[in-house]
Amino acid sequence: MTKRKRKNPEVRRMQRMETFILLGVCTFVLISPLILRPEGDLEWDKTIDRWKDMMPFLFLLLLNHFVLIPTLFFKKKRVQFILASLLLICSIGLLKIIYPGQKKGHLVPPPGLLESRPPHEMHDRPPLPESFDRTRPPGPKGNKGRRSPFPPVTNAIVISILILLIDTGYRSSFRLVKTEYDHNQLEKENIKNRLSILKNQVSPHFFMNTLNNVHALIEVNPKEAQEAIIKLSKLMRAMLLEPDSGKIQLRDEIIFQKNYVELMGIRYNDKLELKADYPSDIPDIQIPPLLFTSLIENAFKYGVSYKSASFIHISMKLEGENLKFEIMNSNHKKGTEASHGIGLKNIHDRLNLLYQSNYELAIDESEDKFKVKMSIPV
């Protein structure tokens, strides 16, 4: 049984807004003959006639909104969409020619009215002034009752074109917003996947190095090896139980680092000077997990030598709204390997994805030491 993919709440909200606007337009069209009428009693015959005049335009709106735009316009079938629109416009124009509706013209007296008047009343009227234009057709004065200069079919065609243009633009704008939103969501998902890949590149190196240390300790000090295995299990639990938000508490990150440093330091002799300075008052903030692990791993890999004195100094502190991490180690280049390894590249990529340009990463390398400074917003 396949599960239906739930739509994003933002997409559902935009779809509800689009439906609400369309329903509002249709409702206004249906009730406008009732509220936009002359004062006086409601004449249902005229109201029904107005509804009949509006029905073709309402049908055009719904057909364009639910059929033409989704099946033709959004699928890049623009020629078919234009032809279908022209066909609908011509159909409405033809409908207005066949059924022009109620005609508005000059008032015609009822039959028999003139015949019922006496002959002397029909001719007993004042003469017309000489300035009267007899060639001008009779009609009402002023703007009241003036008929439209365009025939009904022209008005119908213009209204149909406006409906198609406004509805197509309105749906296209919602489509553009939704497409932009989907694109942003896809970008976030890609960033999340890339971060997961970069983080997973850290885990195998970490476990391989730690297991090698525990293996070397078993023959020398079995009791201490048991304690190291317990610490390793805690580290594995912390990594496996990482929250879905992609961030962990700073307090947990510091505990993780301390255990990691202890595990990495068990295989080295007293020639290694190991210092770690963490804040005593740890605020309740969250940071991305394993962000500093590669730096510590590189410090042990390239900064420690069995033959000569070595050191690793770790410092973490909070300054304002920034978390500053600094690690400095002795520089012992091993063969042709670069002293910074691939870990720095992974960290740089993760920082770019997480903070864009809102971070600091400074590397200072000399013949005898290697130092990295990092600052991230919290």
Side-chain angles (χ1 to χ4, degrees):
M1 181 178 178
T2 59
K3 294 183 178 180
R4 292 184 61 186
K5 186 178 179 181
R6 297 185 62 185
K7 294 183 179 179
N8 192 283
E10 185 68 19
V11 176
R12 292 200 302 268
R13 186 185 69 84
M14 289 189 295
Q15 290 178 341
R16 286 196 298 266
M17 183 184 298
E18 182 180 355
T19 304
F20 177 78
I21 293 175
L22 182 64
L23 288 176
V25 172
C26 295
T27 304
F28 177 78
V29 169
L30 293 176
I31 67 174
S32 58
L34 301 176
I35 60 177
L36 302 178
R37 60 183 177 83
E39 295 182 359
D41 297 335
L42 178 62
E43 299 181 10
W44 283 107
D45 292 341
K46 294 183 178 180
T47 301
I48 294 174
D49 288 338
R50 294 191 185 98
W51 277 336
K52 290 180 180 179
D53 291 338
M54 292 179 178
M55 284 302 105
F57 302 113
L58 186 60
F59 174 77
L60 174 66
L61 172 64
L62 297 177
L63 185 63
N64 182 69
H65 191 91
F66 292 107
V67 179
L68 297 187
I69 294 179
T71 59
L72 298 179
F73 188 80
F74 285 161
K75 293 186 177 181
K76 307 299 182 182
K77 300 178 180 179
R78 303 296 166 79
V79 177
Q80 294 91 324
F81 174 77
I82 294 175
L83 292 177
S85 301
L86 291 176
L87 180 61
L88 288 174
I89 293 172
C90 294
S91 300
I92 292 180
L94 183 62
L95 188 66
K96 283 296 179 181
I97 294 175
I98 300 174
Y99 302 102
Q102 185 179 2
K103 295 183 179 180
K104 295 180 181 180
H106 304 293
L107 295 176
V108 179
L113 178 61
L114 295 179
E115 290 79 355
S116 62
R117 297 180 61 187
H120 67 275
E121 290 185 8
M122 298 180 61
H123 299 282
D124 188 12
R125 60 180 181 180
L128 294 174
E130 296 181 359
S131 60
F132 180 76
D133 187 3
R134 296 180 180 271
T135 61
R136 181 180 178 182
K141 295 181 180 181
N143 292 328
K144 280 189 175 183
R146 179 174 295 177
R147 301 176 62 184
S148 172
F150 303 104
V153 61
T154 304
N155 294 333
I157 291 175
V158 172
I159 294 174
S160 300
I161 294 175
L162 290 177
I163 289 174
L164 291 176
L165 291 177
I166 293 174
D167 184 55
T168 304
Y170 149 74
R171 282 220 62 183
S172 298
S173 62
F174 271 94
R175 170 94 168 189
L176 182 62
V177 172
K178 181 180 179 299
T179 303
E180 186 69 20
Y181 178 81
D182 292 341
H183 177 73
N184 292 336
Q185 290 298 109
L186 182 60
E187 285 291 326
K188 291 180 181 179
E189 190 68 23
N190 290 336
I191 290 175
K192 183 178 179 181
N193 293 336
R194 291 168 63 186
L195 286 173
S196 178
I197 292 173
L198 292 172
K199 188 192 74 173
N200 291 335
Q201 290 179 357
V202 177
S203 303
H205 293 284
F206 160 71
F207 284 117
M208 181 181 64
N209 293 332
T210 306
L211 288 174
N212 287 337
N213 294 344
V214 175
H215 178 265
L217 191 62
I218 289 176
E219 297 179 358
V220 179
N221 192 338
K223 185 176 180 180
E224 191 173 351
Q226 291 178 357
E227 296 177 357
I229 291 175
I230 294 175
K231 291 181 179 179
L232 178 60
S233 66
K234 292 181 180 179
L235 296 181
M236 293 179 64
R237 185 181 300 110
M239 297 179 66
L240 293 175
L241 297 180
E242 177 188 330
D244 295 335
S245 62
K247 291 187 176 183
I248 61 172
Q249 293 290 331
L250 177 60
R251 183 181 299 103
D252 296 334
E253 174 67 19
I254 292 176
I255 295 174
F256 182 92
Q257 287 188 24
K258 288 180 178 179
N259 290 333
Y260 180 55
V261 170
E262 290 180 7
L263 285 174
M264 292 296 291
I266 59 179
R267 63 184 295 186
Y268 298 104
N269 50 30
D270 296 336
K271 291 185 178 181
L272 173 62
E273 179 187 347
L274 187 58
K275 294 181 180 179
D277 183 20
Y278 295 98
S280 56
D281 186 14
I282 304 174
D284 187 19
I285 58 177
Q286 293 184 329
I287 62 172
L290 301 177
L291 192 59
F292 310 104
T293 306
S294 295
L295 296 176
I296 300 175
E297 181 184 358
N298 278 353
F300 279 97
K301 184 176 182 180
Y302 301 106
V304 179
S305 173
Y306 292 102
K307 299 179 180 179
S308 57
S310 306
F311 67 91
I312 296 177
H313 297 166
I314 302 172
S315 173
M316 179 185 289
K317 58 183 177 180
L318 284 163
E319 291 185 2
E321 297 183 352
N322 293 316
L323 176 65
K324 295 184 178 294
F325 179 85
E326 179 179 325
I327 183 167
M328 181 172 60
N329 57 269
S330 50
N331 195 0
H332 300 288
K333 294 183 179 181
K334 299 180 180 181
T336 58
E337 290 182 311
S339 59
H340 50 77
I342 63 171
L344 285 179
K345 183 180 184 304
N346 287 348
I347 291 176
H348 191 270
D349 292 341
R350 289 189 68 189
L351 290 174
N352 282 333
L353 292 172
L354 290 168
Y355 304 106
Q356 288 76 47
S357 59
N358 190 25
Y359 72 92
E360 294 180 5
L361 181 64
I363 301 173
D364 183 16
E365 182 179 8
S366 62
E367 289 295 329
D368 59 343
K369 68 179 180 179
F370 186 87
K371 181 167 66 174
V372 178
K373 291 183 178 181
M374 184 192 302
S375 176
I376 59 173
V378 292

